[in-house]
Amino acid sequence: MTYFGIDIADFSWTCLRDFDFTSLCSQTSIIDILKLLFMGVFYTSLLISLIKGSSACGSNRKNWVFLVVSICCALISVAHFSKGLRLRNQQSWLGCIFRAFVWLSFTVSLHVQRNKWIKILNTIWWTSSCVLASALNIEIMFKEYTIELFEILQWLVHFLLLFCSFQNLGYFVTSQTKPEDTASLSEPLIAQKVETTQTQLGRATLLSKLTFSWVNSLLRLGYSKPLGLVDIPFLLPEDEANLAYQAFMHAWESLVRETSNNNSKNLVLWSVARTFYKENILIALYALLRSICLIISPLILYAFVNYTNTTEGDLKQGFSILGVMVLSKVVESLCQRHCGFGSRRSGMKIRSALMVAVYQKLLKLSSSARTRHSTGEVVNYIAVDAYRLGEFPWWFHIAWTSAVQLVLSIIVLFSIVGAGALPGLVPLLICGLLNVPFAKIIHSCQSQFMMAQDERLRSTSEILNSMKIIKLQSWEDKFKNLVLSLRAKEFKWLTKIQIIKASGSFLYWINPVVVSTVVFLGCALFKSVPLNAETIFTVIATLRMMAEPVRMIPEALSIMIQVKVSFDRLNTFLLDEELTTVNGYGRNIKQSSVNAVEIQEGNFIWDHESVSPTLREVKLEIKWGQKIAVCGPVGAGKSSLLYAVLGEIPKISGTVHVGGTIAYVSQTSWIQSGTVRDNILFGKPMNKTRYENAIKVCALEMDINDFSHGDLTEIGQRGINMSGGQRQRIQLARAVYNDADIYLLDDPFSAVDAQTAAILFHDCVMTALREKTVILVTHQVEFLTEVDTILVMEDGKVTQSGSYEDLQSAGTAFEQLVSAHKAALTGLDKKYENSSDSGIEFLVHPEESQSFNLTKSQSEQVISTKGQLGAQLTQEEEKVTGDVGWKQFWEYISFSRSSFLFCLTMLAEFAFMALQTASSYWLALAFEIPKVTSGILIGVYASFSFLSAIFIYIRSFLAAHLGLKASEVFFSSFTSAIFNAPMLFFDSTPVGRILTRASSDLSILDIDIPYSLTMVSFIAAEILVTICVIVSITWQVLIVAVPATVASIYIQGYYQASSRELMRINGTTKAPVMNFAAETSLGVVTIRAFNMVNRFFNNYLKLVDMDAAVFFHANVATEWSILRIEILQNLTVFTAAALLILLPRGSVSSGLVGLSLSYALTLKESQVFWSRMYSMLSDHIISAERIKQFIHIPSEPPAIVEDNRPSSSWPSKGRIDLRALEIRYRPNAQLVLKGINCTFLEGSRVGVVGRTGSGKTTLISALFRLVEPSRGDILIDGINICLMGLKDLRTKLSIIPQEPTLFKGSIRTNLDPLGFYEDDEIWKALEKCQLKDTVGKLPGLLDSSVSDEGGNWSLGQRQLFCLGRVLLKRNRILVLDEATASIDSATDAILQQVIRQEFAECTVITVAHRVPTVIDSDMVMVLSYGKLVEYDEPSKLMGTNSWFSNLVAEYWSSCRKNSSPISIMKMECK
């Protein structure tokens, strides 16, 4: 490069003799002097630090940017040195050597920063060099000299040095920390973070708030290490859920008071509007400013093209236009970012308020309302509707600003082309009107889609909660097909939505083409303005501004329609019936009451549509300290009586008064996910003495000792990894520890053996609760002699009441119950009579037997079948960390087998881009072709544009199908994986985790990932084309564009490191919210009974705030990155504009100026949109990642093994051989069954007994292969069942499980899910299981409804339905696993008789706690600690001092002890 004949390669001191500051040579000399000065200071400082021996500052490991820049500096140094050697005989060689030394010094400085002073010096040096080099080069361009390529390359490296200086200051990377510092500091900081860290927003300065710099510390931490939940700061108090909820409820209550019953106004919508309107006014102001700045862009373009058309350009005028552009773009960026941040923040508060409102309503919901809103639906209100309404502010502001932007664009269009714009309004109006039917169709499809999704999720939730019975009955295919059929309905609507959206994208792209073509024709016809560069490119730029609102308005309307549906659903839920309460929990507490419980003339009903009340004419007075027993046949209303005391059952008439606090033990145990200790304490502070006493009296000491983690052992969801007895005793311990005034115990002894029941009754009910008022519902007649009053119920009425002796003399209903019990005892007597004298003596005087006392102490010792694992059963949710990379995106495409489809989509995109670019170049160059008329100009442009629109439709259509195919493949694989998963997976995985993947993650997979993936690909291509177009006109823009793009990519990566972890954490914070709500829904009666509503509410608030904090910081991080990327891309736009001003007049045609600027103005939006889409895609792909985690879970053995299929008549005999059977639940865990060897002969009745947790249920699980033997074999009729398919095995076995399970549907579908049997057969089965009369009274008969989980039937009735199932199947092997635990003795005796008759030739295995149930078995198996201790005929075992005889003795002793001599004599006389 030459300046006035002086070569700047000369060593520039010669220019100082004739110094002139305006001379480029003199300026170069000054720069050389400054370089020399910096080098001198640098090497001096380096020498001093070496002499002092100071340690290196920070880590010696440099990042890749420093390495790349140092290599570039070294190469430039080598180039200068080579040039110097080549010119060594000329004067300029010294200048080359000097510059070589300067660039070598830069290389050294990048690698040597021994202390912070050198670091600061280097930062100043690199920054100064870049500024001086830039100033010199810009002046050269002003004076219209040429710049050599080598000089441009040096300038680019100067920009890289500037970037390194920013890194030195810590703007883009984390400060380096020594490993030893990390080791000493990280733990305390992490420990304190949970308690003390709050978001920096509250302490941020105005500038920090403006630029989102207050989040720097979190991003810096996220860049240095993967973020964890403890790293996320708390929200500000003003953003917390409680404050938002209180404000919402204030508005809600006010509106409820103002609104009449007939008013159809949506109260949720208006409450949200009243609560959050103030903050949204400021957001609206930002949005309006942004729209105004955006619409100025076409006018700036018009001014620029006009300016370049002038022959002598005034630089002042040019830079004035540039100044307006800079100001408008800066204001636009700031307003847009703060509008987005404010909208998301406001949406977060709305979401939190509604989530909390739904949860609070759940805690107050009446029993009838709970039947209308299943657990799955309530979870959906939170997971789908509340989250969708969190997006409401964002889309609301998008909707109205799009309308404003559209109007302003039309005004600008008229100002540019005048009357020529009028014809363009017609297609614009048509396209706008076409959006209306589109919106209606999408609304209809969206509503149907959401309804189908609700139905699928409800069924999925129910199936997951009942997976054990599904596997036992081998119903996986039936229920899998049910889920797939429900998904097919959902998928049908999803397909329609996606195809309609693809058509909408065609409408979006064809709209500007048609409108611009018509406007150009209007200009040509009306001759309102000439069709020159400024007109054409301004019109195109304006129409581009109009295209966004035209596209966004229907999308916003679609979202707003979804929002309206969600508002309506939440409005219906929040207005539903609550408990009619006095104290807020359904019962009237009178502390001064003489009676503990008092019911006067009470009539209660569950279903208001029912003909007769559930409970009739209840009159009840219970004194303080009394022990009341409630007994009666199945379905008599015993549990309903407890619900009446709790205030849970709707009252028709009468009064209920409760005199104190209540503790409640439900018939179906409700256990929370958490530790054993948490479940017992139930939110109360730890009192060690009371806690240990509660454990002792509930016979839990040995259980807890056997658990690998003691009382800190994690209980799986719904207590799934505990035996039924353990769950029931934990429930009882919770009640005892609560130290309430009144105890309501709903059949707490049904799930434990006779001796444990006796211990619980005497040690817990009669001793620990001796001063308490207890109402005990029980089928154990043997305990009735010790209570103060017995209530006998029949058909919803208290038919008898009094002491045991009084009721015995009265006869009737109570007599029938006792008779059945006595009959069982008589059977035992007969067995004893056949025993030896020593046996009789032992039985008559058991308390004197040392052996018995030993057994009693052992009765407290039980083994934990699943708690002995080395690790906790329910593990923390797995979360992948680190960079997602492109691998995950490609795996999404390859897993769905859509690679070819993706390639076709990209080809369509490239064709579209090529045609779009061709149409733009045609407009720019056509003016220079003399023979091109307006008609040809418009015709060629329209042809290119129409063709491009067709390709965009093809692209959208292919992209929609790609997404649909991926959804189909992922869902089918996920569903198959879940149904094929072993039972241990469901034992250790909370249902909430699976449901989150089946709901929100799948929703993202359905809609968001296909859109994000295609947009990222398309916009990347668009950015590349845009830069190429700009560079083709003003190549000098590369000087800024390349560093800006590199910096943008770096910022994107820097931000993404934190963003992806925030989204992963968000995936794990959302599931606990749903899980907690689901658990609350199932246990709300217990929560209200214990008066724990406030505690659960506060815990839920914490979970919501935790979820919101992650969401909040993820959003602010996004705005942080986009603002900085916008600034960098705006620099490229400003540079392009400045170059167009500085270029000599006429060097670039006005058409190319218009083309360059029109593309430059879209660059920022494209880059920002790409950054946002890429961030969204990286976040969304985590949902695919989470679903794939469950797709790849190990599956259980195959359903059918073709080479080992048994014959259709198998098993023909029913003989079962257990050979050295060993069972463990996980590899390396303790054995649960230890070398069992025995044979169950064909057609025999085998009773399996043992203490609670001895391994009885595990034996049944092994028989059905819910858990695979770790060693040994099980043979049925000589065939090893471990070699055959699970379906072949399980369909040939029948079971009545310990926990009776019904599904939502009808009685018919519950008895015969597979539809194999005729109605006559079903009625016969109902008759045999004592349900024919009950079902016959129902109006729907076999089609009568069964609510979620059989909630509208008593537990006993549910067990009878399960008996009905096996009566229909009639397999050769029947297993009864505590099948009659929840029914009275009379019904039990009848059913045992039915089973004996119906399954006379079958092998019947009975697991029971009631000794009479197994006493007439052919063989008895006794298990203890997982070992087979006895296996023989009952009569032989009772003739010796055996384990079984001890068990019988305990039962007999308990019955004799609890039966008065008078009652026994009366019974014997009768």
Side-chain angles (χ1 to χ4, degrees):
M1 189 183 306
T2 55
Y3 307 113
F4 308 103
I6 299 173
D7 190 341
I8 65 160
D10 292 347
F11 199 60
S12 316
W13 307 111
T14 52
C15 299
L16 294 176
R17 288 175 299 186
D18 305 312
F19 184 78
D20 178 9
F21 191 75
T22 59
S23 162
L24 288 172
C25 185
S26 299
Q27 290 170 6
T28 307
S29 301
I30 293 170
I31 291 170
D32 286 337
I33 292 168
L34 289 172
K35 286 177 183 176
L36 195 62
L37 184 65
F38 272 116
M39 281 194 299
V41 176
F42 169 71
Y43 284 115
T44 305
S45 303
L46 187 61
L47 185 63
I48 292 168
S49 72
L50 285 169
I51 292 167
K52 287 186 175 182
S54 59
S55 60
C57 180
S59 171
N60 290 324
R61 183 181 60 84
K62 293 294 174 187
N63 63 39
W64 64 271
V65 177
F66 276 72
L67 184 64
V68 169
V69 178
S70 65
I71 291 169
C72 292
C73 292
L75 289 173
I76 292 171
S77 175
V78 169
H80 276 296
F81 189 73
S82 301
K83 187 178 179 182
L85 290 177
R86 211 168 49 249
L87 302 173
R88 61 183 179 273
N89 296 324
Q90 299 177 28
Q91 187 180 0
S92 59
W93 77 273
L94 191 57
C96 292
I97 297 299
F98 171 72
R99 285 177 181 79
F101 186 62
V102 169
W103 284 103
L104 184 64
S105 300
F106 279 141
T107 306
V108 174
S109 69
L110 284 162
H111 286 281
V112 183
Q113 301 190 72
R114 293 187 62 81
N115 55 50
K116 65 179 181 179
W117 305 114
I118 293 180
K119 204 171 186 177
I120 293 168
L121 174 67
N122 286 345
T123 302
I124 297 168
W125 182 15
W126 300 338
T127 306
S128 303
S129 295
C130 181
V131 170
L132 292 169
S134 299
L136 186 64
N137 287 330
I138 288 167
E139 188 176 357
I140 291 167
M141 287 191 293
F142 261 112
K143 294 188 176 180
E144 300 181 7
Y145 291 104
T146 56
I147 305 178
E148 291 179 1
L149 180 62
F150 186 51
E151 294 295 330
I152 292 169
L153 291 173
Q154 291 181 77
W155 193 7
L156 287 174
V157 177
H158 273 299
F159 275 111
L160 292 175
L161 282 168
L162 179 65
F163 185 70
C164 292
S165 70
F166 280 126
Q167 283 201 329
N168 261 358
L169 293 172
Y171 278 107
F172 293 114
V173 294
T174 181
S175 55
Q176 301 291 334
T177 309
K178 294 180 185 179
E180 58 269 24
D181 293 341
T182 306
S184 62
L185 293 176
S186 62
E187 291 304 321
L189 285 172
I190 288 171
Q192 295 167 7
K193 207 169 288 258
V194 177
E195 298 176 5
T196 59
T197 303
Q198 192 179 66
T199 184
Q200 299 289 319
L201 178 59
R203 299 186 292 275
T205 61
L206 179 62
L207 182 62
S208 183
K209 286 179 181 177
L210 203 63
T211 58
F212 302 104
S213 299
W214 53 269
V215 82
N216 279 354
S217 57
L218 181 65
L219 293 174
R220 191 178 300 125
L221 182 65
Y223 191 75
S224 66
K225 72 178 188 72
L227 290 175
L229 186 58
V230 292
D231 300 316
I232 311 302
F234 291 157
L235 295 169
L236 292 176
E238 67 201 63
D239 292 325
E240 287 180 353
N242 194 32
L243 199 66
Y245 166 71
Q246 296 297 343
F248 171 80
M249 286 311 294
H250 178 73
W252 170 267
E253 287 162 5
S254 173
L255 279 165
V256 169
R257 285 193 298 271
E258 295 169 12
T259 308
S260 64
N261 292 332
N262 298 326
N263 198 317
S264 60
K265 184 163 70 171
N266 190 301
L267 301 185
V268 177
L269 170 61
W270 287 103
S271 299
V272 166
R274 279 193 185 185
T275 308
F276 301 101
Y277 78 93
K278 287 182 181 176
E279 59 199 61
N280 278 278
I281 290 172
L282 179 61
I283 297 167
L285 182 63
Y286 287 139
L288 183 63
L289 277 172
R290 181 251 176 187
S291 296
I292 292 168
C293 291
L294 196 64
I295 217 66
I296 289 172
S297 296
L299 298 174
I300 293 170
L301 173 63
Y302 187 81
F304 258 113
V305 178
N306 261 341
Y307 170 77
T308 54
N309 270 339
T310 55
T311 51
E312 290 189 8
D314 181 6
L315 282 179
K316 187 177 179 182
Q317 182 189 351
F319 280 106
S320 299
I321 298 168
L322 182 60
V324 172
M325 177 191 274
V326 170
L327 181 63
S328 71
K329 288 295 174 187
V330 169
V331 173
E332 180 197 328
S333 290
L334 289 173
C335 287
Q336 189 167 0
R337 299 285 62 81
H338 283 276
C339 174
F341 172 63
S343 298
R344 300 288 186 193
R345 189 181 182 188
S346 179
M348 178 193 75
K349 290 195 271 189
I350 291 171
R351 184 184 81 187
S352 296
L354 292 174
M355 287 169 77
V356 176
V358 168
Y359 186 78
Q360 181 67 278
K361 182 71 178 184
L362 172 63
L363 293 170
K364 296 178 180 178
L365 217 56
S366 70
S367 56
S368 59
R370 286 212 314 277
T371 62
R372 290 190 289 273
H373 306 280
S374 68
T375 298
E377 285 171 328
V378 171
V379 169
N380 228 17
Y381 295 146
I382 295 169
V384 177
D385 295 303
Y387 270 79
R388 183 175 288 130
L389 294 180
E391 299 293 312
F392 171 56
W394 167 265
W395 285 104
F396 171 73
H397 291 297
I398 287 284
W400 75 262
T401 50
S402 294
V404 168
Q405 199 173 314
L406 197 59
V407 172
L408 291 175
S409 298
I410 292 168
I411 293 169
V412 168
L413 200 60
F414 270 97
S415 68
I416 299 296
V417 298
L422 279 173
L425 293 180
V426 176
L428 186 65
L429 188 63
I430 292 169
C431 289
L433 290 173
L434 280 174
N435 282 320
V436 176
F438 264 97
K440 283 185 177 179
I441 295 167
I442 288 175
H443 171 223
S444 173
C445 293
Q446 196 72 45
S447 299
Q448 294 294 333
F449 174 72
M450 289 171 71
M451 285 166 62
Q453 188 184 57
D454 282 351
E455 193 179 355
R456 175 179 61 82
L457 288 174
R458 187 205 59 73
S459 290
T460 303
S461 176
E462 186 178 46
I463 288 165
L464 291 173
N465 287 324
S466 309
M467 189 55 81
K468 185 173 183 180
I469 186 65
I470 289 170
K471 287 192 172 292
L472 287 170
Q473 301 282 5
S474 193
W475 288 340
E476 293 100 326
D477 288 344
K478 157 75 178 173
F479 284 96
K480 180 182 170 183
N481 290 333
L482 172 65
V483 172
L484 290 175
S485 66
L486 292 172
R487 172 63 176 176
K489 289 182 190 174
E490 183 185 2
F491 194 74
K492 180 182 77 173
W493 297 111
L494 176 67
T495 305
K496 286 187 177 180
I497 290 167
Q498 296 293 63
I499 298 302
I500 290 165
K501 283 185 176 178
S503 304
S505 68
F506 174 73
L507 193 66
Y508 164 66
W509 284 104
I510 203 73
N511 183 31
V513 172
V514 174
V515 175
S516 59
T517 304
V518 174
V519 168
F520 295 155
L521 285 171
C523 294
L525 291 172
F526 295 122
K527 300 192 180 336
S528 54
V529 287
L531 279 179
N532 51 23
E534 57 260 42
T535 303
I536 285 176
F537 284 105
T538 305
V539 167
I540 289 173
T542 308
L543 291 174
R544 275 184 182 162
M545 296 298 159
M546 293 170 74
E548 186 187 351
V550 167
R551 179 179 66 87
M552 292 304 292
I553 285 172
E555 194 170 342
L557 286 174
S558 171
I559 299 292
M560 298 307 275
I561 288 160
Q562 294 174 39
V563 163
K564 183 186 180 300
V565 172
S566 292
F567 269 128
D568 290 340
R569 281 154 54 91
L570 290 185
N571 195 62
T572 303
F573 178 70
L574 293 179
L575 287 172
D576 214 330
E577 183 185 14
E578 295 182 4
L579 287 175
T580 51
T581 66
V582 175
N583 70 333
Y585 308 112
R587 56 187 183 271
N588 186 0
I589 291 182
K590 297 175 71 176
Q591 296 291 356
S592 59
S593 175
V594 177
N595 296 318
V597 177
E598 188 177 319
I599 302 177
Q600 296 294 335
E601 301 300 326
N603 288 286
F604 305 87
I605 191 165
W606 282 116
D607 185 1
H608 290 292
E609 296 177 2
S610 181
V611 179
S612 59
T614 308
L615 296 176
R616 294 174 287 130
E617 302 168 18
V618 178
K619 187 175 181 182
L620 189 64
E621 289 185 0
I622 300 173
K623 307 291 184 191
W624 288 104
Q626 276 192 322
K627 304 294 180 286
I628 307 296
V630 183
C631 58
V634 172
K638 303 182 294 298
S639 297
S640 295
L641 182 65
L642 297 188
Y643 280 125
V645 175
L646 290 169
E648 292 289 337
I649 183 169
K651 184 175 65 180
I652 303 170
S653 62
T655 58
V656 181
H657 296 304
V658 178
T661 57
I662 287 179
Y664 169 64
V665 176
S666 58
Q667 190 175 15
T668 306
S669 53
W670 178 72
I671 302 291
Q672 276 189 283
S673 300
T675 63
V676 174
R677 181 185 294 177
D678 290 340
N679 272 280
I680 295 172
L681 295 179
F682 207 49
K684 297 271 186 182
M686 169 63 91
N687 180 319
K688 195 164 185 182
T689 305
R690 196 163 91 221
Y691 179 73
E692 288 174 354
N693 180 60
I695 289 172
K696 183 179 179 182
V697 300
C698 294
L700 277 168
E701 280 182 308
M702 296 311 297
D703 294 76
I704 288 172
N705 289 338
D706 282 333
F707 293 156
S708 59
H709 295 80
D711 64 349
L712 295 178
T713 298
E714 288 278 353
I715 301 178
Q717 192 168 30
R718 305 176 80 177
I720 200 161
N721 57 320
M722 297 282 161
S723 71
Q726 287 167 338
R727 290 199 295 270
Q728 198 66 277
R729 283 178 286 136
I730 288 169
Q731 264 207 133
L732 198 56
R734 175 204 295 157
V736 172
Y737 185 81
N738 194 60
D739 195 27
D741 302 319
I742 301 162
Y743 283 77
L744 306 180
L745 311 180
D746 195 352
D747 199 13
F749 310 136
S750 62
V752 296
D753 59 75
Q755 178 55 26
T756 307
I759 292 170
L760 292 176
F761 181 75
H762 291 108
D763 294 358
C764 180
V765 177
M766 301 308 295
T767 305
L769 304 179
R770 60 186 173 276
E771 296 175 3
K772 308 293 184 180
T773 305
V774 179
I775 304 175
L776 170 67
V777 171
T778 185
H779 293 300
Q780 273 81 357
V781 177
E782 58 267 25
F783 300 135
L784 298 181
T785 56
E786 296 195 31
V787 300
D788 300 311
T789 305
I790 300 167
L791 303 179
V792 182
M793 296 195 69
E794 198 169 6
D795 293 330
K797 288 186 71 175
V798 179
T799 55
Q800 290 176 282
S801 133
S803 66
Y804 187 89
E805 292 77 10
D806 295 340
L807 295 179
Q808 274 288 83
S809 58
T812 62
F814 183 68
E815 184 184 0
Q816 292 174 12
L817 291 170
V818 176
S819 297
H821 181 60
K822 296 298 181 185
L825 294 184
T826 305
L828 285 180
D829 270 330
K830 290 177 182 176
K831 295 280 182 183
Y832 296 150
E833 286 168 7
N834 298 327
S835 302
S836 64
D837 291 340
S838 62
I840 294 171
E841 183 181 352
F842 167 76
L843 291 166
V844 172
H845 306 286
E847 63 277 2
E848 296 173 7
S849 168
Q850 184 180 0
S851 172
F852 171 77
N853 290 330
L854 175 66
T855 307
K856 181 173 179 180
S857 69
Q858 287 172 344
S859 72
E860 296 173 7
Q861 300 181 18
V862 290
I863 69 166
S864 162
T865 59
K866 300 174 191 173
Q868 293 179 337
L869 308 179
Q872 295 281 28
L873 185 77
T874 304
Q875 299 294 321
E876 187 177 340
E877 186 167 1
E878 184 183 349
K879 177 175 73 70
V880 179
T881 58
D883 189 7
V884 174
W886 288 98
K887 183 185 173 187
Q888 289 290 345
F889 308 140
W890 184 248
E891 280 184 1
Y892 165 80
I893 295 166
S894 58
F895 185 80
S896 56
R897 299 182 288 278
S898 303
S899 308
F900 181 67
L901 206 55
F902 181 72
C903 293
L904 284 179
T905 309
M906 290 309 299
L907 279 174
E909 169 64 17
F910 290 138
F912 161 72
M913 290 302 305
L915 289 165
Q916 280 281 95
T917 308
S919 67
S920 300
Y921 264 105
W922 167 254
L923 290 176
L925 299 173
F927 302 109
E928 297 176 10
I929 304 171
K931 293 182 180 179
V932 173
T933 62
S934 297
I936 294 171
L937 177 76
I938 297 165
V940 173
Y941 166 73
S943 301
F944 277 131
S945 299
F946 272 108
L947 275 173
S948 69
I950 290 167
F951 275 104
I952 210 71
Y953 175 73
I954 295 169
R955 181 203 79 179
S956 303
F957 184 79
L958 291 172
H961 275 279
L962 188 151
L964 291 168
K965 190 175 179 183
S967 293
E968 200 169 14
V969 172
F970 269 90
F971 182 81
S972 60
S973 301
F974 172 74
T975 305
S976 297
I978 294 299
F979 277 95
N980 293 335
M983 199 60 219
L984 183 62
F985 170 75
F986 299 98
D987 291 348
S988 58
T989 307
V991 170
R993 283 188 196 169
I994 307 173
L995 276 178
T996 302
R997 284 162 173 82
S999 56
S1000 53
D1001 285 329
L1002 188 68
S1003 185
I1004 287 170
L1005 197 78
D1006 283 342
I1007 295 166
D1008 296 322
I1009 292 180
Y1011 177 73
S1012 303
L1013 182 64
T1014 50
M1015 282 295 110
V1016 164
S1017 308
F1018 302 159
I1019 296 162
E1022 191 177 314
I1023 291 168
L1024 187 63
V1025 169
T1026 301
I1027 291 173
C1028 288
V1029 169
I1030 297 169
V1031 168
S1032 70
I1033 296 164
T1034 48
W1035 64 267
Q1036 295 90 343
V1037 82
L1038 278 173
I1039 296 164
V1040 175
V1042 171
T1045 304
V1046 170
S1048 296
I1049 293 167
Y1050 189 83
I1051 288 172
Q1052 183 74 26
Y1054 179 72
Y1055 147 77
Q1056 205 65 45
S1058 300
S1059 173
R1060 66 172 163 263
E1061 297 310 321
L1062 286 168
M1063 289 308 298
R1064 282 174 176 150
I1065 295 166
N1066 200 21
T1068 60
T1069 57
K1070 187 176 178 181
V1073 176
M1074 311 312 152
N1075 209 38
F1076 194 78
E1079 279 189 345
T1080 302
S1081 179
L1082 293 169
V1084 69
V1085 174
T1086 302
I1087 293 165
R1088 292 197 285 231
F1090 279 83
N1091 200 8
M1092 283 289 169
V1093 168
N1094 288 336
R1095 173 181 160 254
F1096 272 75
F1097 180 72
N1098 290 330
N1099 286 344
Y1100 186 74
L1101 284 175
K1102 289 174 187 173
L1103 290 173
V1104 172
D1105 280 335
M1106 189 189 300
D1107 186 43
V1110 180
F1111 174 83
F1112 175 81
H1113 287 95
N1115 274 300
V1116 75
T1118 302
E1119 301 300 342
W1120 177 94
S1121 70
I1122 289 176
L1123 181 66
R1124 281 148 183 78
I1125 290 169
E1126 278 187 332
I1127 290 167
L1128 289 167
Q1129 293 307 319
N1130 277 332
L1131 284 174
T1132 305
V1133 177
F1134 301 154
T1135 304
L1139 287 170
L1140 290 171
I1141 293 168
L1142 296 171
L1143 285 172
R1145 300 281 72 80
S1147 60
V1148 180
S1149 70
S1150 59
L1152 291 175
V1153 168
L1155 178 65
S1156 177
L1157 266 184
S1158 65
Y1159 270 79
L1161 287 172
T1162 63
L1163 181 63
K1164 185 210 73 170
E1165 278 75 20
S1166 297
Q1167 179 69 51
V1168 167
F1169 192 48
W1170 184 87
S1171 298
R1172 186 179 285 281
M1173 282 293 110
Y1174 181 75
S1175 301
M1176 285 173 66
L1177 179 59
S1178 298
D1179 298 341
H1180 291 151
I1181 209 72
I1182 291 165
S1183 291
E1185 186 182 281
R1186 282 160 53 79
I1187 290 173
K1188 279 180 69 182
Q1189 281 176 356
F1190 279 16
I1191 288 174
H1192 294 132
I1193 53 176
S1195 64
E1196 61 183 359
I1200 293 172
V1201 178
E1202 291 296 341
D1203 296 338
N1204 285 291
R1205 296 205 70 177
S1207 64
S1208 57
S1209 60
W1210 179 89
S1212 57
K1213 297 175 182 177
R1215 177 190 175 98
I1216 301 172
D1217 293 300
L1218 307 178
R1219 296 180 180 175
L1221 181 65
E1222 293 183 356
I1223 298 287
R1224 49 166 55 94
Y1225 279 91
R1226 283 182 180 171
N1228 305 319
Q1230 293 182 26
L1231 285 172
V1232 180
L1233 292 183
K1234 305 168 184 176
I1236 305 290
N1237 279 290
C1238 72
T1239 299
F1240 300 165
L1241 295 174
E1242 51 268 33
S1244 64
R1245 294 173 52 79
V1246 180
V1248 182
V1249 294
R1251 310 296 181 194
T1252 301
S1254 60
K1256 302 185 299 293
T1257 301
T1258 302
L1259 179 66
I1260 303 307
S1261 296
L1263 186 61
F1264 282 83
R1265 289 178 63 195
L1266 290 182
V1267 56
E1268 294 291 320
S1270 56
R1271 200 168 153 235
D1273 297 310
I1274 303 172
L1275 276 64
I1276 297 179
D1277 283 3
I1279 297 177
N1280 190 341
I1281 65 168
C1282 296
L1283 301 177
M1284 68 175 66
L1286 293 179
K1287 186 172 184 178
D1288 286 336
L1289 169 66
R1290 292 170 183 170
T1291 52
K1292 297 295 184 176
L1293 306 178
S1294 294
I1295 184 169
I1296 304 177
Q1298 189 174 6
E1299 294 175 3
T1301 304
L1302 298 184
F1303 298 92
K1304 188 178 177 71
S1306 66
I1307 292 170
R1308 179 185 281 104
T1309 57
N1310 270 279
L1311 286 171
D1312 181 23
L1314 305 179
F1316 285 165
Y1317 306 101
E1318 300 294 332
D1319 283 7
D1320 289 344
E1321 295 175 280
I1322 295 172
W1323 279 113
K1324 286 176 185 175
L1326 285 172
E1327 184 177 11
K1328 289 170 185 173
C1329 64
Q1330 309 296 303
L1331 282 171
K1332 184 177 180 181
D1333 292 341
T1334 306
V1335 175
K1337 292 175 185 177
L1338 299 173
L1341 299 177
L1342 291 179
D1343 293 319
S1344 298
S1345 67
V1346 176
S1347 65
D1348 273 331
E1349 301 184 358
N1352 58 335
W1353 296 87
S1354 73
L1355 191 63
Q1357 287 170 326
R1358 279 180 258 165
Q1359 280 193 319
L1360 296 178
F1361 275 120
C1362 291
L1363 177 61
R1365 286 174 186 158
V1366 300
L1367 288 168
L1368 284 170
K1369 282 179 78 174
R1370 292 187 169 278
N1371 284 324
R1372 295 290 299 180
I1373 295 174
L1374 170 64
V1375 177
L1376 307 175
D1377 188 5
E1378 309 288 356
T1380 56
S1382 297
I1383 57 180
D1384 59 275
S1385 297
T1387 311
D1388 186 13
I1390 295 167
L1391 292 179
Q1392 292 301 331
Q1393 185 62 35
V1394 170
I1395 290 168
R1396 275 192 287 271
Q1397 290 173 0
E1398 298 295 325
F1399 297 95
E1401 297 179 2
C1402 301
T1403 304
V1404 180
I1405 304 166
T1406 305
V1407 176
H1409 291 140
R1410 290 179 181 171
V1411 171
T1413 306
V1414 296
I1415 200 68
D1416 63 345
S1417 299
D1418 301 319
M1419 301 290 284
V1420 170
M1421 167 189 267
V1422 182
L1423 293 174
S1424 178
Y1425 296 95
K1427 292 181 180 178
L1428 175 64
V1429 292
E1430 290 171 357
Y1431 182 61
D1432 210 335
E1433 295 175 17
S1435 57
K1436 290 181 181 179
L1437 290 174
M1438 286 194 299
T1440 61
N1441 186 7
S1442 64
W1443 285 72
F1444 181 66
S1445 63
N1446 289 338
L1447 283 170
V1448 175
E1450 291 161 14
Y1451 183 80
W1452 177 253
S1453 170
S1454 173
C1455 295
R1456 285 291 176 90
K1457 193 183 293 182
N1458 294 307
S1459 301
S1460 67
I1462 296 170
S1463 65
I1464 293 171
M1465 287 170 63
K1466 283 183 179 179
M1467 191 62 224
E1468 287 170 351
C1469 291
K1470 290 182 180 180

